[in-house]
Amino acid sequence: MRKEIIVLRLGHRPERDKRITTHVGLTARAFGANGMLLASDDQKITDNIEEMTSRWGGDFYVRNNVEMTKEIKKWQAEGGKVCHLSMYGINLPDAVSDLKKQSRLMIIVGAEKVPGEIYELADWNVAVGNQPHSEVAALAVTMDRIAEADPLTAPFENAELTVVPTAKGKKVIHDDELKEKNKTAH
Ligand code: SAM
């Protein structure tokens, strides 16, 4: 059974965090999360990420304007566990074996100061090293360390666009070319 991982993005300020929150969502998707919950109202973020998903494949979703405490408590009541990423937490290598055992995991990342309540509600407060850096970096490293299979080689179903890795330049196959190729191969 595929693990269920969702990312809860806190503290997004529409006037200044658009790019970084979009990157949180795209990183969550690229490294194998099922979806992202945005605890702020910025429908454009949802639209942008879902538009990317429709072109690049998979079934990643975004839910806009969720109520953070309600979502955390609901997730836990349904048997899910919660890992809040914070530079003040226990270091990831000391938490990774517990995190890997979870079949339903919510990963929380902040933007500005995260409310104290989140530290209390989380099942783990986990640092990706105890130095300040970025929610995007913290999420990517965590997703990579807890993955069962290498997330860098995971396929994305129903993609309109697929990159063909090349040593130089850019090669992208469009869905219709791929279908044509598969037809001639059979
Ligand atoms: N100063 C803020 C605070 O004390 O909550 C954190 C701001 S930081 C730019 C934004 C987010 O990046 C944090 O909420 C956390 O999720 C993540 N982050 C930054 N450094 C981290 C680290 N070393 N380990 C884990 N997460 C980190």
Side-chain angles (χ1 to χ4, degrees), residues 85-88 108-114 119 126-129 131-135 138:
L85 296 181
S86 157
M87 62 181 279
Y88 306 104
I108 303 179
V109 294
E112 49 180 354
K113 198 175 180 321
V114 171
Y119 290 79
V126 171
V128 181
Q131 300 296 321
H133 48 81
S134 141
E135 49 272 52

PDB file of all heavy atoms in Angstrom, residues 85-88 108-114 119 126-129 131-135 138, ligand 1:
ATOM      1  N   LEU A  85       8.273  20.371  10.908  1.00  0.00           N
ATOM      2  CA  LEU A  85       9.686  20.649  10.637  1.00  0.00           C
ATOM      3  C   LEU A  85      10.070  21.996  11.240  1.00  0.00           C
ATOM      4  O   LEU A  85       9.496  23.031  10.900  1.00  0.00           O
ATOM      5  CB  LEU A  85       9.957  20.641   9.132  1.00  0.00           C
ATOM      6  CG  LEU A  85       9.727  19.290   8.439  1.00  0.00           C
ATOM      7  CD1 LEU A  85      10.046  19.381   6.952  1.00  0.00           C
ATOM      8  CD2 LEU A  85      10.561  18.179   9.087  1.00  0.00           C
ATOM      9  N   SER A  86      11.043  21.936  12.142  1.00  0.00           N
ATOM     10  CA  SER A  86      11.490  23.142  12.838  1.00  0.00           C
ATOM     11  C   SER A  86      12.953  22.972  13.211  1.00  0.00           C
ATOM     12  O   SER A  86      13.357  21.889  13.675  1.00  0.00           O
ATOM     13  CB  SER A  86      10.655  23.318  14.114  1.00  0.00           C
ATOM     14  OG  SER A  86      11.363  24.093  15.040  1.00  0.00           O
ATOM     15  N   MET A  87      13.725  24.018  13.054  1.00  0.00           N
ATOM     16  CA  MET A  87      15.161  23.930  13.388  1.00  0.00           C
ATOM     17  C   MET A  87      15.396  23.623  14.876  1.00  0.00           C
ATOM     18  O   MET A  87      16.499  23.242  15.267  1.00  0.00           O
ATOM     19  CB  MET A  87      15.882  25.227  13.009  1.00  0.00           C
ATOM     20  CG  MET A  87      15.378  26.426  13.749  1.00  0.00           C
ATOM     21  SD  MET A  87      16.208  27.956  13.272  1.00  0.00           S
ATOM     22  CE  MET A  87      17.686  27.848  14.236  1.00  0.00           C
ATOM     23  N   TYR A  88      14.347  23.785  15.702  1.00  0.00           N
ATOM     24  CA  TYR A  88      14.492  23.552  17.144  1.00  0.00           C
ATOM     25  C   TYR A  88      14.202  22.113  17.557  1.00  0.00           C
ATOM     26  O   TYR A  88      14.342  21.746  18.717  1.00  0.00           O
ATOM     27  CB  TYR A  88      13.544  24.495  17.920  1.00  0.00           C
ATOM     28  CG  TYR A  88      13.736  25.943  17.556  1.00  0.00           C
ATOM     29  CD1 TYR A  88      12.831  26.609  16.726  1.00  0.00           C
ATOM     30  CD2 TYR A  88      14.844  26.650  18.020  1.00  0.00           C
ATOM     31  CE1 TYR A  88      13.015  27.937  16.368  1.00  0.00           C
ATOM     32  CE2 TYR A  88      15.041  27.981  17.660  1.00  0.00           C
ATOM     33  CZ  TYR A  88      14.124  28.608  16.836  1.00  0.00           C
ATOM     34  OH  TYR A  88      14.313  29.919  16.474  1.00  0.00           O
ATOM     35  N   ILE A 108       4.389  19.346   8.481  1.00  0.00           N
ATOM     36  CA  ILE A 108       4.047  20.770   8.592  1.00  0.00           C
ATOM     37  C   ILE A 108       5.299  21.621   8.364  1.00  0.00           C
ATOM     38  O   ILE A 108       6.349  21.349   8.948  1.00  0.00           O
ATOM     39  CB  ILE A 108       3.466  21.095   9.988  1.00  0.00           C
ATOM     40  CG1 ILE A 108       2.238  20.230  10.277  1.00  0.00           C
ATOM     41  CG2 ILE A 108       3.124  22.571  10.102  1.00  0.00           C
ATOM     42  CD1 ILE A 108       1.616  20.472  11.650  1.00  0.00           C
ATOM     43  N   VAL A 109       5.149  22.638   7.512  1.00  0.00           N
ATOM     44  CA  VAL A 109       6.230  23.622   7.376  1.00  0.00           C
ATOM     45  C   VAL A 109       5.664  25.016   7.586  1.00  0.00           C
ATOM     46  O   VAL A 109       4.523  25.302   7.224  1.00  0.00           O
ATOM     47  CB  VAL A 109       6.956  23.546   6.003  1.00  0.00           C
ATOM     48  CG1 VAL A 109       7.711  22.254   5.848  1.00  0.00           C
ATOM     49  CG2 VAL A 109       6.012  23.774   4.832  1.00  0.00           C
ATOM     50  N   GLY A 110       6.479  25.883   8.170  1.00  0.00           N
ATOM     51  CA  GLY A 110       6.048  27.245   8.457  1.00  0.00           C
ATOM     52  C   GLY A 110       6.573  28.232   7.441  1.00  0.00           C
ATOM     53  O   GLY A 110       7.189  27.865   6.438  1.00  0.00           O
ATOM     54  N   ALA A 111       6.336  29.507   7.728  1.00  0.00           N
ATOM     55  CA  ALA A 111       6.866  30.602   6.902  1.00  0.00           C
ATOM     56  C   ALA A 111       7.476  31.584   7.897  1.00  0.00           C
ATOM     57  O   ALA A 111       8.682  31.594   8.118  1.00  0.00           O
ATOM     58  CB  ALA A 111       5.765  31.246   6.082  1.00  0.00           C
ATOM     59  N   GLU A 112       6.617  32.375   8.526  1.00  0.00           N
ATOM     60  CA  GLU A 112       7.088  33.239   9.607  1.00  0.00           C
ATOM     61  C   GLU A 112       7.001  32.415  10.903  1.00  0.00           C
ATOM     62  O   GLU A 112       6.947  31.193  10.856  1.00  0.00           O
ATOM     63  CB  GLU A 112       6.233  34.496   9.666  1.00  0.00           C
ATOM     64  CG  GLU A 112       4.763  34.175   9.645  1.00  0.00           C
ATOM     65  CD  GLU A 112       3.850  35.372   9.697  1.00  0.00           C
ATOM     66  OE1 GLU A 112       4.350  36.494   9.864  1.00  0.00           O
ATOM     67  OE2 GLU A 112       2.646  35.189   9.606  1.00  0.00           O
ATOM     68  N   LYS A 113       6.952  33.087  12.043  1.00  0.00           N
ATOM     69  CA  LYS A 113       6.954  32.377  13.335  1.00  0.00           C
ATOM     70  C   LYS A 113       5.766  31.407  13.441  1.00  0.00           C
ATOM     71  O   LYS A 113       4.620  31.790  13.201  1.00  0.00           O
ATOM     72  CB  LYS A 113       6.886  33.401  14.460  1.00  0.00           C
ATOM     73  CG  LYS A 113       7.301  32.864  15.789  1.00  0.00           C
ATOM     74  CD  LYS A 113       7.316  33.988  16.812  1.00  0.00           C
ATOM     75  CE  LYS A 113       7.727  33.551  18.190  1.00  0.00           C
ATOM     76  NZ  LYS A 113       7.238  32.271  18.629  1.00  0.00           N
ATOM     77  N   VAL A 114       6.064  30.178  13.807  1.00  0.00           N
ATOM     78  CA  VAL A 114       5.020  29.153  13.922  1.00  0.00           C
ATOM     79  C   VAL A 114       4.428  29.208  15.339  1.00  0.00           C
ATOM     80  O   VAL A 114       5.180  29.248  16.329  1.00  0.00           O
ATOM     81  CB  VAL A 114       5.629  27.753  13.623  1.00  0.00           C
ATOM     82  CG1 VAL A 114       4.650  26.639  13.942  1.00  0.00           C
ATOM     83  CG2 VAL A 114       6.089  27.679  12.161  1.00  0.00           C
ATOM     84  N   TYR A 119       3.775  23.149  18.033  1.00  0.00           N
ATOM     85  CA  TYR A 119       4.832  22.329  18.663  1.00  0.00           C
ATOM     86  C   TYR A 119       4.211  21.315  19.624  1.00  0.00           C
ATOM     87  O   TYR A 119       4.714  20.225  19.803  1.00  0.00           O
ATOM     88  CB  TYR A 119       5.820  23.221  19.416  1.00  0.00           C
ATOM     89  CG  TYR A 119       6.699  24.073  18.517  1.00  0.00           C
ATOM     90  CD1 TYR A 119       6.209  25.246  17.938  1.00  0.00           C
ATOM     91  CD2 TYR A 119       8.007  23.704  18.256  1.00  0.00           C
ATOM     92  CE1 TYR A 119       7.010  26.028  17.117  1.00  0.00           C
ATOM     93  CE2 TYR A 119       8.820  24.481  17.435  1.00  0.00           C
ATOM     94  CZ  TYR A 119       8.312  25.641  16.870  1.00  0.00           C
ATOM     95  OH  TYR A 119       9.110  26.407  16.051  1.00  0.00           O
ATOM     96  N   VAL A 126      10.759  18.102  14.204  1.00  0.00           N
ATOM     97  CA  VAL A 126      11.981  17.529  13.616  1.00  0.00           C
ATOM     98  C   VAL A 126      12.791  18.607  12.901  1.00  0.00           C
ATOM     99  O   VAL A 126      12.262  19.373  12.091  1.00  0.00           O
ATOM    100  CB  VAL A 126      11.602  16.405  12.621  1.00  0.00           C
ATOM    101  CG1 VAL A 126      12.814  15.932  11.838  1.00  0.00           C
ATOM    102  CG2 VAL A 126      10.979  15.226  13.378  1.00  0.00           C
ATOM    103  N   ALA A 127      14.092  18.628  13.214  1.00  0.00           N
ATOM    104  CA  ALA A 127      15.012  19.572  12.569  1.00  0.00           C
ATOM    105  C   ALA A 127      15.775  18.872  11.461  1.00  0.00           C
ATOM    106  O   ALA A 127      16.204  17.723  11.622  1.00  0.00           O
ATOM    107  CB  ALA A 127      15.992  20.112  13.604  1.00  0.00           C
ATOM    108  N   VAL A 128      15.933  19.575  10.368  1.00  0.00           N
ATOM    109  CA  VAL A 128      16.798  19.066   9.296  1.00  0.00           C
ATOM    110  C   VAL A 128      18.125  19.788   9.499  1.00  0.00           C
ATOM    111  O   VAL A 128      18.451  20.783   8.846  1.00  0.00           O
ATOM    112  CB  VAL A 128      16.157  19.334   7.920  1.00  0.00           C
ATOM    113  CG1 VAL A 128      17.045  18.793   6.801  1.00  0.00           C
ATOM    114  CG2 VAL A 128      14.783  18.657   7.846  1.00  0.00           C
ATOM    115  N   GLY A 129      18.841  19.300  10.505  1.00  0.00           N
ATOM    116  CA  GLY A 129      19.992  20.043  11.025  1.00  0.00           C
ATOM    117  C   GLY A 129      19.459  21.191  11.877  1.00  0.00           C
ATOM    118  O   GLY A 129      18.359  21.689  11.629  1.00  0.00           O
ATOM    119  N   GLN A 131      20.327  24.263  12.114  1.00  0.00           N
ATOM    120  CA  GLN A 131      20.649  25.600  11.608  1.00  0.00           C
ATOM    121  C   GLN A 131      19.444  26.128  10.834  1.00  0.00           C
ATOM    122  O   GLN A 131      18.734  25.341  10.207  1.00  0.00           O
ATOM    123  CB  GLN A 131      21.852  25.533  10.653  1.00  0.00           C
ATOM    124  CG  GLN A 131      23.117  25.006  11.281  1.00  0.00           C
ATOM    125  CD  GLN A 131      23.624  25.921  12.381  1.00  0.00           C
ATOM    126  OE1 GLN A 131      23.569  27.138  12.255  1.00  0.00           O
ATOM    127  NE2 GLN A 131      24.099  25.322  13.472  1.00  0.00           N
ATOM    128  N   PRO A 132      19.223  27.443  10.847  1.00  0.00           N
ATOM    129  CA  PRO A 132      18.096  27.975  10.064  1.00  0.00           C
ATOM    130  C   PRO A 132      18.370  27.876   8.565  1.00  0.00           C
ATOM    131  O   PRO A 132      19.477  28.178   8.128  1.00  0.00           O
ATOM    132  CB  PRO A 132      18.030  29.451  10.495  1.00  0.00           C
ATOM    133  CG  PRO A 132      19.384  29.771  11.030  1.00  0.00           C
ATOM    134  CD  PRO A 132      19.975  28.491  11.537  1.00  0.00           C
ATOM    135  N   HIS A 133      17.379  27.400   7.798  1.00  0.00           N
ATOM    136  CA  HIS A 133      17.497  27.468   6.336  1.00  0.00           C
ATOM    137  C   HIS A 133      16.122  27.699   5.737  1.00  0.00           C
ATOM    138  O   HIS A 133      15.526  28.770   5.975  1.00  0.00           O
ATOM    139  CB  HIS A 133      18.280  26.287   5.739  1.00  0.00           C
ATOM    140  CG  HIS A 133      17.915  24.918   6.196  1.00  0.00           C
ATOM    141  ND1 HIS A 133      16.851  24.241   5.688  1.00  0.00           N
ATOM    142  CD2 HIS A 133      18.487  24.094   7.124  1.00  0.00           C
ATOM    143  CE1 HIS A 133      16.772  23.054   6.260  1.00  0.00           C
ATOM    144  NE2 HIS A 133      17.767  22.934   7.149  1.00  0.00           N
ATOM    145  N   SER A 134      15.573  26.720   5.030  1.00  0.00           N
ATOM    146  CA  SER A 134      14.353  27.004   4.273  1.00  0.00           C
ATOM    147  C   SER A 134      13.363  25.850   4.379  1.00  0.00           C
ATOM    148  O   SER A 134      13.760  24.683   4.449  1.00  0.00           O
ATOM    149  CB  SER A 134      14.761  27.227   2.813  1.00  0.00           C
ATOM    150  OG  SER A 134      13.836  26.658   1.937  1.00  0.00           O
ATOM    151  N   GLU A 135      12.069  26.201   4.315  1.00  0.00           N
ATOM    152  CA  GLU A 135      11.031  25.164   4.348  1.00  0.00           C
ATOM    153  C   GLU A 135      11.107  24.245   3.123  1.00  0.00           C
ATOM    154  O   GLU A 135      10.788  23.066   3.206  1.00  0.00           O
ATOM    155  CB  GLU A 135       9.637  25.790   4.477  1.00  0.00           C
ATOM    156  CG  GLU A 135       9.294  26.919   3.529  1.00  0.00           C
ATOM    157  CD  GLU A 135       9.695  28.285   4.064  1.00  0.00           C
ATOM    158  OE1 GLU A 135      10.860  28.450   4.454  1.00  0.00           O
ATOM    159  OE2 GLU A 135       8.845  29.192   4.063  1.00  0.00           O
ATOM    160  N   ALA A 138      14.079  21.904   3.808  1.00  0.00           N
ATOM    161  CA  ALA A 138      13.738  20.979   4.904  1.00  0.00           C
ATOM    162  C   ALA A 138      12.776  19.902   4.407  1.00  0.00           C
ATOM    163  O   ALA A 138      12.925  18.712   4.711  1.00  0.00           O
ATOM    164  CB  ALA A 138      13.126  21.761   6.062  1.00  0.00           C
TER     165      ALA A 138
HETATM  166  N1  SAM B   1      11.859  31.811  12.459  1.00  0.00           N
HETATM  167  C1  SAM B   1      10.760  30.941  12.203  1.00  0.00           C
HETATM  168  C2  SAM B   1      10.381  30.167  13.449  1.00  0.00           C
HETATM  169  O1  SAM B   1      11.058  30.295  14.443  1.00  0.00           O
HETATM  170  O2  SAM B   1       9.402  29.438  13.441  1.00  0.00           O
HETATM  171  C3  SAM B   1      11.098  29.970  11.084  1.00  0.00           C
HETATM  172  C4  SAM B   1      11.274  30.601   9.737  1.00  0.00           C
HETATM  173  S1  SAM B   1      11.878  29.492   8.472  1.00  0.00           S
HETATM  174  C5  SAM B   1      12.378  30.564   7.207  1.00  0.00           C
HETATM  175  C6  SAM B   1      10.430  28.816   7.741  1.00  0.00           C
HETATM  176  C7  SAM B   1      10.256  27.355   7.924  1.00  0.00           C
HETATM  177  O3  SAM B   1      11.344  26.646   7.379  1.00  0.00           O
HETATM  178  C8  SAM B   1      10.143  26.856   9.336  1.00  0.00           C
HETATM  179  O4  SAM B   1       8.871  27.065   9.881  1.00  0.00           O
HETATM  180  C9  SAM B   1      10.465  25.369   9.161  1.00  0.00           C
HETATM  181  O5  SAM B   1       9.325  24.647   8.773  1.00  0.00           O
HETATM  182  C10 SAM B   1      11.485  25.394   8.019  1.00  0.00           C
HETATM  183  N2  SAM B   1      12.873  25.271   8.483  1.00  0.00           N
HETATM  184  C11 SAM B   1      13.856  26.191   8.388  1.00  0.00           C
HETATM  185  N3  SAM B   1      15.006  25.700   8.870  1.00  0.00           N
HETATM  186  C12 SAM B   1      14.759  24.436   9.272  1.00  0.00           C
HETATM  187  C13 SAM B   1      15.552  23.396   9.841  1.00  0.00           C
HETATM  188  N4  SAM B   1      16.829  23.562  10.122  1.00  0.00           N
HETATM  189  N5  SAM B   1      14.956  22.227  10.109  1.00  0.00           N
HETATM  190  C14 SAM B   1      13.642  22.029   9.841  1.00  0.00           C
HETATM  191  N6  SAM B   1      12.849  22.958   9.290  1.00  0.00           N
HETATM  192  C15 SAM B   1      13.400  24.148   9.013  1.00  0.00           C
END
